[in-house]
Amino acid sequence: MRLGLGFYRQQLTPENLRFARQAGASSIVAHLVDYAATLNPAMRRSDVGMGVTHRGGRLWTVDELAEVKALAEDAGLELAAVENFDPAHWHDVLLDGPRRDDQIADLAETIRRVGAVGIPCIGYCFTLAGVSALKRGPYARGEAETYFFDADPELTEQPIPRGQVWNMTYDLEAEGELGEVTVEQMWDRLERFLADLVPVAEEAGVTLAAHPDDPPVRRLRGTGRLLCSTDDLARLLTTVDSPRNALELCQGTIAEMAGSDPYEAIDRFSAAGRVAYVHLRNVRGTVPAYTERFLDEGDVDVLRSLRILRDNGFDGVLIPDHTPHMSCAAPWHAGMAFALGYMTAALRALG
Ligand SMILES: [Mn+2]
């Protein structure tokens, strides 16, 4: 098993990559979606979600992908995966909109380019509401700022504006609301997505890695959610039975699922060889109320889950997921350094 660190696009700087090496990582996962970096503060609006994407009509180029890979390699790091398709590139795949077939062709081209550059994996979340309805407060150890979920109807019932998927805006001009989308409609869309793209991924040598819905609630902001239980994850894997159809196994999200057994889930999916890479995070509680915690203070015994991965021969990358911020001049970096230090020691302890 190898340690990695996930970076948002605006964090991909030589200094941050050196930080990753210093903290014990040998790999990185790069988000190529701009998120809040693209959001002009002067026009910050509550209804744009995490940010605005301006990548409509411009796929990631081979040069751009190669540049990110070279940046990582110059710092002595492997680029293990890119995470998340840009909402501008696949909104109508998620919405079953008029440009669905064109955007499937664009995703196929993106997968081929990622493969051509030698990046082995793309992580994605097949969701309309994305990560939303979370709140932030001082609820991890020592009053560390962290995300929590309490199923507040003001957030969970907030309609999704048109022009937005995955909690990001791709069309600022769109008016009105998305309305209701059922779980069955979403499964149909996901099944067609996998049927169309897993063969492309196989040919390109790229693994498609699905992240569970976070928070794992069946309906959020009027839209059905697919991957809210370990059975849902198993269903995704059997939909197209290929090693290129795999999981971005988020231990945190699995622990948030009511009634889930995270150890059984990690065992089942890693024994089947269907874990592309792992998001390591701890939580206390499950839906409808949980808080994200430091790796050593949540409900999951992280050493036990790592032992299961090791015993099943998992040799992929582990990255810390989001982590509580620590009180200092660099709250994100300190949280990540703590997580990577903990993971380094845990892997050493496993022997
Ligand atoms: Mn995650």
Side-chain angles (χ1 to χ4, degrees):
M1 289 188 273
R2 288 163 288 146
L3 292 187
L5 185 55
F7 286 110
Y8 297 111
R9 190 178 191 109
Q10 68 273 18
Q11 294 177 311
L12 288 168
T13 63
E15 185 186 36
N16 274 333
L17 294 168
R18 284 197 302 276
F19 166 81
R21 284 285 292 131
Q22 291 158 9
S26 58
S27 304
I28 66 161
V29 170
H31 289 253
L32 295 187
V33 184
D34 287 355
Y35 292 90
T38 61
L39 187 56
N40 177 351
M43 52 170 285
R44 191 175 287 272
R45 296 173 2 194
S46 62
D47 61 348
V48 298
M50 295 188 295
V52 181
T53 168
H54 299 287
R55 286 301 300 238
R58 289 183 301 125
L59 301 185
W60 302 330
T61 65
V62 166
D63 285 351
E64 196 175 1
L65 292 162
E67 201 179 311
V68 176
K69 186 164 185 274
L71 191 68
E73 287 172 357
D74 286 350
L77 294 154
E78 168 217 17
L79 177 54
V82 294
E83 204 166 289
N84 295 324
F85 294 118
D86 195 304
H89 298 159
W90 74 321
H91 52 83
D92 271 7
V93 175
L94 293 167
L95 291 166
D96 200 17
R99 299 187 52 210
R100 188 261 172 202
D101 290 347
D102 291 341
Q103 291 189 341
I104 283 286
D106 285 349
L107 295 184
E109 177 60 22
T110 297
I111 292 166
R112 283 190 283 266
R113 291 179 187 179
V114 166
V117 168
I119 303 166
C121 184
I122 301 175
Y124 70 97
C125 302
F126 204 94
T127 167
L128 289 171
V131 180
S132 52
L134 299 182
K135 297 175 177 175
R136 237 176 133 68
Y139 301 119
R141 183 173 54 221
E143 299 177 13
E145 284 281 330
T146 192
Y147 287 111
F148 68 100
F149 179 73
D150 62 357
D152 179 349
E154 203 155 303
L155 298 177
T156 59
E157 297 297 329
Q158 185 183 48
I160 298 176
R162 282 196 185 279
Q164 193 181 113
V165 293
W166 199 71
N167 204 17
M168 234 183 131
T169 298
Y170 61 88
D171 181 1
L172 280 164
E173 308 302 318
E175 290 177 356
E177 292 166 358
L178 202 56
E180 292 284 328
V181 180
T182 67
V183 174
E184 290 69 29
Q185 285 173 304
M186 290 304 291
W187 268 119
D188 173 64
R189 296 171 194 182
L190 174 61
E191 284 165 5
R192 286 186 288 140
F193 164 89
L194 291 173
D196 288 342
L197 294 180
V198 173
V200 177
E202 285 171 341
E203 213 161 280
V206 173
T207 301
L208 299 177
H211 190 287
D213 282 271
D214 183 15
V217 291
R218 192 57 74 193
R219 181 178 170 281
L220 188 61
R221 305 181 67 189
T223 61
R225 313 254 288 171
L226 300 180
L227 305 178
C228 303
S229 72
T230 51
D231 286 348
D232 295 337
L233 296 172
R235 175 173 171 182
L236 174 134
L237 296 180
T238 52
T239 294
V240 177
D241 191 14
S242 162
R244 294 299 183 188
N245 174 29
L247 299 176
E248 182 186 332
L249 191 83
C250 182
Q251 181 194 264
T253 309
I254 289 174
E256 292 159 8
M257 295 170 177
S260 77
D261 177 342
Y263 310 110
E264 189 275 332
I266 289 165
D267 186 31
R268 182 174 6 157
F269 300 128
S270 60
R274 302 295 282 279
V275 176
Y277 63 101
V278 175
H279 276 186
L280 212 58
R281 170 159 61 83
N282 218 332
V283 295
R284 189 159 302 169
T286 67
V287 288
Y290 62 82
T291 52
E292 299 189 358
R293 300 297 182 108
F294 289 108
L295 277 180
D296 63 314
E297 71 158 335
D299 294 336
V300 179
D301 176 349
V302 171
L303 202 56
R304 183 174 164 195
S305 52
L306 292 178
R307 185 173 293 118
I308 294 167
L309 287 167
R310 194 269 317 263
D311 289 349
N312 286 339
F314 176 71
D315 65 353
V317 173
L318 311 167
I319 66 169
D321 207 5
H322 15 105
T323 177
H325 281 190
M326 300 180 82
S327 303
C328 64
W332 180 87
H333 290 81
M336 288 300 170
F338 177 83
L340 285 166
Y342 182 89
M343 289 157 70
T344 300
L347 292 183
R348 184 70 58 89
L350 290 181

